[in-house]
Coordinates of all heavy atoms in Angstrom, one line a residue:
M1 N 70.9 64.5 119.0 CA 71.4 65.4 117.9 C 71.4 66.8 118.5 O 70.5 67.3 119.1 CB 70.5 65.3 116.7 CG 71.0 66.3 115.7 SD 70.5 65.8 114.0 CE 69.0 66.7 113.8
T2 N 72.6 67.4 118.4 CA 72.7 68.7 118.9 C 72.8 69.7 117.8 O 73.6 69.5 116.8 CB 74.0 68.8 119.8 OG1 74.0 67.8 120.7 CG2 74.2 70.2 120.4
T3 N 72.1 70.8 117.8 CA 72.2 71.8 116.8 C 72.8 73.0 117.5 O 72.5 73.3 118.7 CB 70.8 72.2 116.2 OG1 69.9 72.6 117.3 CG2 70.2 71.0 115.5
T4 N 73.6 73.7 116.8 CA 74.2 74.9 117.3 C 73.8 76.1 116.5 O 73.7 76.0 115.2 CB 75.8 74.8 117.3 OG1 76.2 74.6 116.0 CG2 76.3 73.7 118.2
T5 N 73.4 77.1 117.1 CA 73.0 78.3 116.4 C 74.2 79.2 116.4 O 74.9 79.4 117.5 CB 71.8 79.0 117.0 OG1 72.0 79.2 118.4 CG2 70.5 78.3 116.8
Q6 N 74.5 79.8 115.3 CA 75.7 80.6 115.2 C 75.4 82.0 115.8 O 74.4 82.6 115.6 CB 76.1 80.8 113.7 CG 77.4 81.6 113.6 CD 77.9 81.5 112.1 OE1 77.3 80.9 111.3 NE2 79.0 82.2 111.9
D7 N 76.3 82.4 116.7 CA 76.2 83.7 117.4 C 76.2 84.8 116.3 O 77.1 84.8 115.4 CB 77.3 83.8 118.3 CG 77.3 85.1 119.1 OD1 76.5 86.0 118.8 OD2 78.2 85.2 120.0
P8 N 75.3 85.7 116.3 CA 75.3 86.8 115.3 C 76.6 87.6 115.3 O 76.9 88.3 114.3 CB 74.1 87.6 115.7 CG 73.7 87.3 117.1 CD 74.3 85.9 117.3
A9 N 77.3 87.6 116.4 CA 78.5 88.4 116.5 C 79.7 87.7 116.0 O 80.8 88.3 115.8 CB 78.8 88.8 118.0
T10 N 79.6 86.4 115.6 CA 80.7 85.6 115.1 C 81.3 86.3 113.9 O 80.6 86.7 112.9 CB 80.3 84.2 114.7 OG1 79.7 83.6 115.9 CG2 81.4 83.4 114.2
G11 N 82.6 86.5 113.9 CA 83.3 87.1 112.8 C 83.4 88.6 112.8 O 84.0 89.2 112.0
T12 N 82.7 89.2 113.8 CA 82.7 90.7 113.9 C 83.5 91.2 115.1 O 83.9 92.3 115.1 CB 81.3 91.3 113.9 OG1 80.7 90.9 115.1 CG2 80.5 90.9 112.7
G13 N 83.6 90.3 116.1 CA 84.2 90.7 117.3 C 83.2 91.4 118.3 O 83.6 91.8 119.4
A14 N 82.0 91.6 117.8 CA 81.0 92.3 118.6 C 80.5 91.3 119.7 O 80.6 90.1 119.6 CB 79.9 92.8 117.7
R15 N 79.8 91.9 120.7 CA 79.3 91.1 121.8 C 77.8 91.1 121.8 O 77.1 90.4 122.6 CB 79.8 91.6 123.1 CG 81.3 91.4 123.2 CD 81.8 91.7 124.6 NE 83.2 91.4 124.6 CZ 83.8 90.7 125.5 NH1 83.1 90.1 126.4 NH2 85.1 90.5 125.5
T16 N 77.2 91.8 120.9 CA 75.7 91.8 120.7 C 75.3 91.7 119.3 O 76.1 92.1 118.4 CB 75.1 93.1 121.3 OG1 75.4 94.2 120.5 CG2 75.5 93.4 122.7
G17 N 74.1 91.2 119.0 CA 73.6 91.1 117.7 C 73.5 92.4 117.0 O 73.7 92.6 115.8
E18 N 73.0 93.4 117.8 CA 72.9 94.8 117.3 C 74.2 95.4 116.8 O 74.3 95.9 115.6 CB 72.3 95.7 118.3 CG 72.1 97.1 117.8 CD 71.5 98.0 118.9 OE1 71.2 97.6 120.0 OE2 71.4 99.2 118.6
A19 N 75.2 95.2 117.6 CA 76.6 95.7 117.2 C 77.1 94.9 116.0 O 77.7 95.5 115.1 CB 77.5 95.6 118.4
A20 N 76.8 93.6 116.0 CA 77.3 92.8 114.8 C 76.6 93.3 113.6 O 77.3 93.3 112.5 CB 77.0 91.3 115.1
G21 N 75.3 93.6 113.6 CA 74.7 94.1 112.4 C 75.2 95.4 111.9 O 75.4 95.6 110.7
L22 N 75.5 96.3 112.9 CA 76.1 97.6 112.5 C 77.5 97.4 111.9 O 77.8 98.0 110.9 CB 76.2 98.5 113.7 CG 74.9 99.1 114.2 CD1 75.1 99.8 115.5 CD2 74.3 100.0 113.2
I23 N 78.3 96.5 112.5 CA 79.6 96.2 112.0 C 79.6 95.6 110.6 O 80.3 96.0 109.7 CB 80.4 95.4 113.0 CG1 80.7 96.1 114.2 CG2 81.7 94.8 112.3 CD1 81.3 95.3 115.4
T24 N 78.7 94.7 110.4 CA 78.5 94.0 109.1 C 78.2 95.0 108.0 O 78.8 95.0 106.9 CB 77.5 92.9 109.2 OG1 77.9 91.9 110.1 CG2 77.3 92.2 107.8
G25 N 77.2 95.9 108.3 CA 76.9 96.9 107.4 C 78.0 97.9 107.1 O 78.2 98.3 105.9
A26 N 78.7 98.3 108.1 CA 79.9 99.2 107.9 C 81.0 98.5 107.1 O 81.6 99.2 106.2 CB 80.4 99.7 109.2
R27 N 81.2 97.2 107.3 CA 82.2 96.5 106.6 C 81.8 96.4 105.1 O 82.7 96.6 104.2 CB 82.4 95.1 107.1 CG 83.2 95.1 108.4 CD 83.4 93.7 108.9 NE 84.3 93.6 110.1 CZ 84.5 92.6 110.8 NH1 83.9 91.4 110.4 NH2 85.3 92.6 111.8
E28 N 80.5 96.3 104.8 CA 80.1 96.2 103.4 C 80.4 97.6 102.8 O 80.8 97.7 101.6 CB 78.6 95.9 103.3 CG 78.3 94.4 103.7 CD 76.8 94.1 103.8 OE1 76.0 95.0 103.7 OE2 76.5 92.9 104.1
R29 N 80.1 98.7 103.5 CA 80.4 100.0 103.0 C 81.9 100.2 102.7 O 82.3 100.7 101.7 CB 79.9 101.1 103.9 CG 80.1 102.5 103.4 CD 79.1 103.4 103.8 NE 79.3 104.7 103.1 CZ 79.5 105.8 103.7 NH1 79.6 105.9 105.0 NH2 79.8 106.9 103.0
I30 N 82.7 99.7 103.6 CA 84.2 99.8 103.5 C 84.6 99.0 102.2 O 85.4 99.5 101.4 CB 84.9 99.3 104.7 CG1 84.8 100.4 105.8 CG2 86.4 99.0 104.4 CD1 85.4 100.0 107.1
D31 N 84.1 97.8 102.0 CA 84.4 97.0 100.9 C 84.0 97.8 99.6 O 84.8 97.7 98.6 CB 83.7 95.7 100.9 CG 84.2 94.7 102.0 OD1 85.3 95.0 102.5 OD2 83.6 93.7 102.3
D32 N 82.9 98.4 99.6 CA 82.5 99.2 98.4 C 83.4 100.4 98.2 O 83.9 100.6 97.1 CB 81.0 99.7 98.6 CG 80.6 100.6 97.4 OD1 80.5 100.0 96.3 OD2 80.2 101.8 97.7
L33 N 83.7 101.1 99.3 CA 84.7 102.2 99.2 C 86.0 101.7 98.6 O 86.6 102.4 97.8 CB 84.8 102.9 100.5 CG 83.6 103.7 101.0 CD1 83.8 104.1 102.5 CD2 83.5 105.0 100.1
D34 N 86.5 100.6 99.2 CA 87.8 100.1 98.7 C 87.8 99.8 97.2 O 88.7 100.1 96.5 CB 88.2 98.8 99.5 CG 88.7 99.1 100.9 OD1 89.0 100.3 101.2 OD2 88.7 98.2 101.7
G35 N 86.7 99.2 96.8 CA 86.6 98.9 95.3 C 86.6 100.2 94.5 O 87.3 100.2 93.4
R36 N 85.9 101.2 95.0 CA 86.0 102.5 94.3 C 87.3 103.1 94.3 O 87.8 103.7 93.3 CB 84.9 103.4 94.8 CG 83.5 102.9 94.5 CD 82.4 103.6 95.3 NE 82.5 105.0 95.4 CZ 81.8 105.7 96.4 NH1 81.0 105.0 97.2 NH2 81.9 107.0 96.5
I37 N 88.0 103.1 95.5 CA 89.4 103.6 95.6 C 90.3 102.9 94.6 O 91.1 103.6 93.9 CB 89.9 103.5 97.0 CG1 89.1 104.5 97.9 CG2 91.4 103.8 97.1 CD1 89.3 104.3 99.4
I38 N 90.2 101.6 94.6 CA 91.1 100.8 93.6 C 90.8 101.2 92.2 O 91.7 101.4 91.4 CB 90.9 99.3 93.9 CG1 91.5 98.9 95.2 CG2 91.5 98.5 92.7 CD1 91.2 97.5 95.7
G39 N 89.6 101.4 91.9 CA 89.2 101.8 90.5 C 89.8 103.2 90.2 O 90.3 103.4 89.1
L40 N 89.7 104.1 91.1 CA 90.3 105.5 90.9 C 91.8 105.4 90.8 O 92.4 106.1 90.0 CB 89.9 106.4 92.1 CG 88.4 106.8 92.1 CD1 88.1 107.5 93.4 CD2 88.1 107.7 90.9
I41 N 92.5 104.5 91.6 CA 93.9 104.4 91.5 C 94.3 103.9 90.1 O 95.2 104.3 89.4 CB 94.5 103.5 92.6 CG1 94.4 104.2 93.9 CG2 95.9 103.1 92.3 CD1 94.7 103.3 95.1
Q42 N 93.5 102.9 89.6 CA 93.8 102.3 88.3 C 93.6 103.4 87.2 O 94.4 103.5 86.2 CB 92.9 101.1 88.0 CG 93.3 99.9 88.8 CD 92.3 98.8 88.8 OE1 91.1 99.0 88.6 NE2 92.8 97.6 89.0
E43 N 92.6 104.2 87.4 CA 92.3 105.4 86.4 C 93.5 106.3 86.5 O 94.0 106.8 85.5 CB 91.0 106.1 86.8 CG 90.6 107.2 85.8 CD 89.3 107.8 86.2 OE1 88.5 107.3 87.0 OE2 89.0 108.9 85.6
R44 N 94.0 106.6 87.7 CA 95.1 107.6 87.9 C 96.4 107.0 87.2 O 97.1 107.7 86.6 CB 95.4 107.8 89.4 CG 96.4 108.9 89.6 CD 96.8 109.0 91.1 NE 97.5 110.2 91.4 CZ 98.7 110.5 91.1 NH1 99.4 109.6 90.3 NH2 99.3 111.6 91.5
M45 N 96.6 105.7 87.3 CA 97.7 105.0 86.7 C 97.6 105.2 85.2 O 98.7 105.5 84.5 CB 97.7 103.6 87.1 CG 98.1 103.3 88.5 SD 97.8 101.6 89.1 CE 99.1 100.8 88.2
A46 N 96.5 105.1 84.6 CA 96.3 105.2 83.1 C 96.6 106.6 82.7 O 97.3 106.9 81.7 CB 94.9 104.8 82.7
V47 N 96.1 107.6 83.5 CA 96.3 109.0 83.1 C 97.8 109.3 83.3 O 98.4 110.0 82.4 CB 95.5 109.9 84.0 CG1 95.9 111.4 83.8 CG2 94.0 109.7 83.7
S48 N 98.4 108.8 84.3 CA 99.9 109.0 84.5 C 100.7 108.5 83.4 O 101.7 109.1 82.9 CB 100.3 108.4 85.8 OG 101.7 108.6 86.1
A49 N 100.3 107.3 82.9 CA 101.0 106.7 81.7 C 100.9 107.6 80.5 O 101.9 107.7 79.8 CB 100.4 105.3 81.4
V50 N 99.8 108.2 80.3 CA 99.7 109.1 79.1 C 100.7 110.3 79.3 O 101.4 110.7 78.4 CB 98.2 109.7 79.0 CG1 98.1 110.8 78.0 CG2 97.3 108.5 78.6
I51 N 100.7 110.9 80.5 CA 101.6 112.0 80.8 C 103.0 111.6 80.6 O 103.8 112.3 79.9 CB 101.3 112.5 82.2 CG1 100.0 113.2 82.4 CG2 102.4 113.5 82.7 CD1 99.5 113.5 83.8
Q52 N 103.4 110.5 81.1 CA 104.8 110.0 81.0 C 105.2 109.8 79.5 O 106.2 110.2 79.1 CB 105.0 108.7 81.8 CG 105.1 108.9 83.2 CD 105.4 107.6 84.0 OE1 106.4 107.0 83.7 NE2 104.6 107.3 84.9
R53 N 104.3 109.2 78.8 CA 104.5 108.9 77.4 C 104.7 110.2 76.6 O 105.6 110.3 75.8 CB 103.3 108.1 76.8 CG 103.5 107.6 75.4 CD 102.5 106.5 75.0 NE 101.1 107.0 75.3 CZ 100.3 106.4 76.2 NH1 100.7 105.4 76.9 NH2 99.1 106.9 76.3
E54 N 103.9 111.2 76.8 CA 104.0 112.4 76.1 C 105.2 113.2 76.5 O 105.9 113.8 75.7 CB 102.7 113.3 76.3 CG 101.5 112.7 75.7 CD 101.7 112.5 74.2 OE1 102.2 113.4 73.5 OE2 101.3 111.4 73.7
R55 N 105.5 113.2 77.8 CA 106.7 113.9 78.3 C 108.0 113.3 77.6 O 108.8 114.0 77.1 CB 106.8 113.8 79.8 CG 107.9 114.7 80.4 CD 108.1 114.6 81.9 NE 106.9 115.0 82.6 CZ 106.3 114.2 83.4 NH1 106.8 112.9 83.7 NH2 105.2 114.5 84.1
I56 N 108.1 112.0 77.6 CA 109.2 111.3 77.0 C 109.3 111.6 75.5 O 110.3 111.9 75.0 CB 109.2 109.8 77.4 CG1 109.5 109.6 78.9 CG2 110.3 109.1 76.5 CD1 109.2 108.2 79.4
A57 N 108.1 111.5 74.9 CA 108.1 111.7 73.4 C 108.5 113.1 73.0 O 109.0 113.3 71.9 CB 106.7 111.4 72.9
S58 N 108.3 114.1 73.9 CA 108.7 115.4 73.6 C 110.1 115.7 74.0 O 110.5 116.9 74.0 CB 107.7 116.4 74.3 OG 107.9 116.4 75.7
G59 N 110.8 114.7 74.5 CA 112.2 114.9 74.9 C 112.4 115.2 76.4 O 113.6 115.4 76.8
G60 N 111.4 115.1 77.1 CA 111.5 115.3 78.6 C 111.8 114.1 79.3 O 112.0 113.0 78.7
R61 N 112.0 114.2 80.6 CA 112.3 113.1 81.5 C 111.0 112.4 81.9 O 109.9 112.9 81.9 CB 113.0 113.6 82.8 CG 114.3 114.2 82.5 CD 114.9 114.7 83.8 NE 116.2 115.3 83.5 CZ 117.2 115.2 84.3 NH1 117.1 114.6 85.5 NH2 118.4 115.7 84.0
R62 N 111.2 111.1 82.2 CA 110.0 110.3 82.7 C 109.4 110.8 83.9 O 108.2 110.8 84.1 CB 110.5 108.8 82.9 CG 109.3 107.9 83.2 CD 109.8 106.4 83.3 NE 110.8 106.2 84.4 CZ 110.4 105.8 85.6 NH1 109.2 105.6 85.9 NH2 111.4 105.6 86.5
V63 N 110.2 111.3 84.9 CA 109.7 111.8 86.2 C 109.9 113.3 86.3 O 111.0 113.8 85.9 CB 110.5 111.0 87.3 CG1 110.1 111.6 88.6 CG2 110.3 109.5 87.2
H64 N 108.9 114.0 86.8 CA 109.0 115.4 87.0 C 109.0 115.6 88.5 O 107.9 115.6 89.2 CB 107.8 116.1 86.4 CG 107.9 117.6 86.3 ND1 107.0 118.3 87.0 CD2 108.7 118.4 85.6 CE1 107.3 119.6 86.8 NE2 108.4 119.7 85.9
L65 N 110.2 115.7 89.1 CA 110.3 115.7 90.6 C 109.6 116.8 91.3 O 109.1 116.6 92.4 CB 111.8 115.7 91.0 CG 112.6 114.4 90.6 CD1 114.0 114.5 90.9 CD2 111.9 113.2 91.2
S66 N 109.6 118.0 90.7 CA 108.9 119.1 91.4 C 107.4 118.8 91.5 O 106.8 119.1 92.5 CB 109.2 120.5 90.8 OG 108.7 120.5 89.5
R67 N 106.8 118.2 90.5 CA 105.4 117.9 90.5 C 105.2 116.8 91.6 O 104.2 116.8 92.3 CB 105.0 117.4 89.1 CG 103.6 116.8 89.1 CD 102.5 117.9 89.4 NE 101.2 117.3 89.3 CZ 100.1 117.6 90.0 NH1 100.2 118.6 90.8 NH2 99.0 117.0 89.8
E68 N 106.1 115.8 91.6 CA 105.9 114.8 92.6 C 106.0 115.4 94.0 O 105.2 114.9 94.9 CB 107.0 113.7 92.4 CG 106.7 112.9 91.2 CD 107.4 111.5 91.2 OE1 108.1 111.2 92.2 OE2 107.2 110.8 90.3
M69 N 106.8 116.3 94.3 CA 106.9 117.0 95.6 C 105.6 117.7 95.9 O 105.1 117.7 97.1 CB 108.1 117.9 95.7 CG 109.4 117.2 95.8 SD 109.5 115.9 97.1 CE 109.2 116.9 98.5
E70 N 105.0 118.3 94.9 CA 103.7 118.9 95.1 C 102.6 117.9 95.6 O 101.9 118.2 96.5 CB 103.2 119.6 93.8 CG 103.9 120.8 93.4 CD 103.4 121.3 92.0 OE1 102.3 120.9 91.6 OE2 104.1 122.1 91.4
I71 N 102.6 116.8 95.0 CA 101.7 115.7 95.3 C 102.0 115.2 96.7 O 101.0 115.0 97.5 CB 101.7 114.6 94.3 CG1 101.2 115.1 92.9 CG2 100.9 113.4 94.7 CD1 101.6 114.2 91.7
I72 N 103.2 114.9 97.0 CA 103.6 114.4 98.3 C 103.2 115.4 99.4 O 102.6 115.0 100.5 CB 105.1 114.1 98.4 CG1 105.4 112.9 97.5 CG2 105.6 113.9 99.8 CD1 106.8 112.6 97.2
N73 N 103.5 116.7 99.2 CA 103.1 117.7 100.2 C 101.6 117.8 100.3 O 101.1 118.0 101.5 CB 103.7 119.1 99.8 CG 105.2 119.1 99.9 OD1 105.8 118.4 100.7 ND2 105.9 119.9 99.1
H74 N 100.9 117.7 99.2 CA 99.4 117.8 99.3 C 98.8 116.7 100.2 O 98.0 116.9 101.1 CB 98.8 117.8 97.9 CG 97.3 117.8 97.9 ND1 96.6 118.9 98.3 CD2 96.4 116.9 97.5 CE1 95.3 118.7 98.2 NE2 95.2 117.5 97.7
Y75 N 99.3 115.5 99.9 CA 98.8 114.3 100.7 C 99.2 114.5 102.2 O 98.4 114.2 103.1 CB 99.3 113.0 100.1 CG 98.5 112.5 99.0 CD1 98.4 113.1 97.8 CD2 97.7 111.3 99.2 CE1 97.6 112.5 96.7 CE2 96.9 110.8 98.2 CZ 96.9 111.4 97.0 OH 96.1 110.9 96.0
G76 N 100.4 114.9 102.4 CA 100.9 115.1 103.8 C 100.1 116.2 104.5 O 99.8 116.0 105.7
D77 N 99.8 117.3 103.8 CA 99.0 118.3 104.4 C 97.6 117.9 104.8 O 97.1 118.2 105.8 CB 98.9 119.5 103.5 CG 100.2 120.3 103.3 OD1 101.1 120.1 104.1 OD2 100.3 121.1 102.3
Q78 N 97.0 117.0 103.9 CA 95.7 116.6 104.1 C 95.5 115.4 105.1 O 94.6 115.3 105.8 CB 95.0 116.2 102.8 CG 94.9 117.3 101.8 CD 94.0 118.4 102.3 OE1 92.9 118.1 102.8 NE2 94.4 119.6 102.3
L79 N 96.5 114.5 105.1 CA 96.4 113.3 105.9 C 97.5 113.1 106.9 O 97.6 112.0 107.5 CB 96.4 112.1 104.9 CG 95.3 112.1 103.8 CD1 95.5 111.0 102.8 CD2 93.9 112.0 104.5
G80 N 98.4 114.0 107.0 CA 99.5 113.8 107.9 C 100.6 112.9 107.4 O 100.7 112.6 106.2
R81 N 101.5 112.5 108.3 CA 102.6 111.6 107.9 C 102.2 110.4 107.1 O 102.8 110.0 106.1 CB 103.4 111.2 109.1 CG 104.8 110.8 108.8 CD 105.6 110.8 110.0 NE 106.2 109.5 110.2 CZ 106.8 109.1 111.3 NH1 106.9 109.9 112.3 NH2 107.3 107.9 111.4
P82 N 101.1 109.7 107.5 CA 100.7 108.5 106.7 C 100.3 108.9 105.3 O 100.4 108.2 104.3 CB 99.5 108.0 107.5 CG 99.7 108.4 108.9 CD 100.3 109.8 108.8
G83 N 99.8 110.2 105.1 CA 99.5 110.7 103.8 C 100.7 110.8 102.9 O 100.6 110.5 101.7
T84 N 101.8 111.2 103.5 CA 103.1 111.2 102.7 C 103.5 109.8 102.2 O 103.8 109.7 101.0 CB 104.2 111.8 103.6 OG1 103.8 113.1 104.0 CG2 105.5 111.9 102.9
A85 N 103.4 108.8 103.1 CA 103.7 107.5 102.7 C 102.7 107.0 101.6 O 103.1 106.3 100.7 CB 103.6 106.5 103.9
L86 N 101.4 107.4 101.8 CA 100.4 107.0 100.8 C 100.7 107.6 99.4 O 100.7 107.0 98.4 CB 99.0 107.4 101.3 CG 97.9 107.1 100.3 CD1 97.7 105.7 100.0 CD2 96.6 107.7 100.9
A87 N 101.1 108.9 99.4 CA 101.5 109.6 98.2 C 102.7 108.9 97.5 O 102.7 108.7 96.3 CB 101.8 111.0 98.4
M88 N 103.6 108.5 98.3 CA 104.8 107.9 97.7 C 104.5 106.6 97.1 O 105.0 106.2 96.0 CB 105.9 107.8 98.8 CG 106.5 109.2 99.2 SD 107.6 109.2 100.5 CE 109.0 108.4 99.8
T89 N 103.6 105.8 97.8 CA 103.2 104.5 97.2 C 102.4 104.7 95.9 O 102.5 104.0 94.9 CB 102.3 103.8 98.3 OG1 103.1 103.5 99.4 CG2 101.8 102.5 97.7
L90 N 101.5 105.7 96.0 CA 100.7 106.0 94.8 C 101.5 106.4 93.6 O 101.4 106.0 92.5 CB 99.7 107.1 95.1 CG 98.6 107.5 94.1 CD1 97.8 106.3 93.8 CD2 97.8 108.6 94.7
L91 N 102.5 107.3 93.9 CA 103.5 107.7 92.8 C 104.2 106.5 92.2 O 104.4 106.4 91.0 CB 104.4 108.8 93.3 CG 103.8 110.1 93.6 CD1 104.7 111.0 94.3 CD2 103.3 110.8 92.3
E92 N 104.7 105.6 93.1 CA 105.4 104.4 92.6 C 104.5 103.5 91.8 O 104.9 103.0 90.8 CB 105.9 103.6 93.8 CG 106.8 102.4 93.4 CD 107.4 101.7 94.5 OE1 107.6 102.2 95.6 OE2 107.7 100.5 94.3
L93 N 103.2 103.4 92.2 CA 102.3 102.6 91.4 C 102.1 103.3 90.0 O 102.0 102.6 89.0 CB 100.9 102.6 92.1 CG 100.8 101.6 93.2 CD1 99.5 101.8 94.0 CD2 100.8 100.2 92.6
C94 N 102.1 104.6 89.9 CA 101.8 105.3 88.7 C 103.0 105.4 87.8 O 102.8 105.5 86.6 CB 101.2 106.6 89.0 SG 99.5 106.5 89.7
R95 N 104.2 105.6 88.3 CA 105.3 105.8 87.5 C 106.4 104.7 87.6 O 107.4 104.8 86.9 CB 105.9 107.2 87.7 CG 106.3 107.5 89.1 CD 107.7 107.5 89.4 NE 107.9 108.2 90.7 CZ 108.1 107.5 91.8 NH1 108.1 106.2 91.8 NH2 108.3 108.2 92.9
G96 N 106.3 103.8 88.5 CA 107.3 102.8 88.8 C 108.3 103.3 89.7 O 108.3 104.5 90.2
R97 N 109.3 102.5 90.0 CA 110.4 102.9 90.9 C 111.3 103.8 90.2 O 111.6 103.7 89.0 CB 111.2 101.6 91.3 CG 110.4 100.8 92.3 CD 111.4 99.7 92.8 NE 111.0 99.0 94.0 CZ 111.1 99.5 95.2 NH1 111.6 100.7 95.4 NH2 110.8 98.8 96.3
I98 N 111.9 104.7 90.9 CA 113.0 105.6 90.3 C 114.3 105.3 91.0 O 114.4 104.7 92.0 CB 112.6 107.1 90.5 CG1 112.3 107.5 92.0 CG2 111.5 107.5 89.6 CD1 112.1 109.0 92.2

């Protein structure tokens, strides 16, 4: 009967047990951060829905393009080109496609 012990680095790509432990801990932190980010996005979507509803009810348009450009520029300034793409995705999630 042969028993195999699982290498502690399995699934992490690490070559040592110490590195595997650090990677595993960091991945757990990333998973927690991702959960919080998703929660914040969902909260942002709800707030955006309130804004759109009130804007439309008052006779305004669903989308306020100058405000969207402010958001896109802010994300781009803070995160570079990928930030611009992130802002556009976030805006689409919050207001739908235009």
Side-chain angles (χ1 to χ4, degrees):
M1 177 155 97
T2 308
T3 56
T4 58
T5 49
Q6 187 170 358
D7 181 353
T10 301
T12 65
R15 295 188 179 233
T16 67
E18 181 181 355
L22 288 171
I23 291 168
T24 298
R27 284 180 175 174
E28 289 170 0
R29 182 148 187 241
I30 284 174
D31 290 346
D32 179 60
L33 289 167
D34 285 344
R36 290 167 42 201
I37 290 166
I38 290 167
L40 288 169
I41 291 169
Q42 290 170 332
E43 183 178 349
R44 190 188 193 289
M45 291 168 70
V47 172
S48 181
V50 169
I51 292 169
Q52 285 183 57
R53 187 170 48 248
E54 291 304 313
R55 188 182 302 120
I56 291 168
S58 71
R61 294 178 180 214
R62 183 174 67 92
V63 176
H64 190 247
L65 293 178
S66 64
R67 173 64 178 149
E68 289 201 358
M69 287 309 301
E70 289 176 17
I71 294 165
I72 290 168
N73 289 333
H74 178 66
Y75 274 73
D77 291 345
Q78 296 298 310
L79 302 172
R81 198 163 126 194
T84 299
L86 178 61
M88 293 174 71
T89 299
L90 187 58
L91 289 167
E92 184 176 337
L93 280 169
C94 290
R95 54 111 164 97
R97 287 187 162 285
I98 51 173

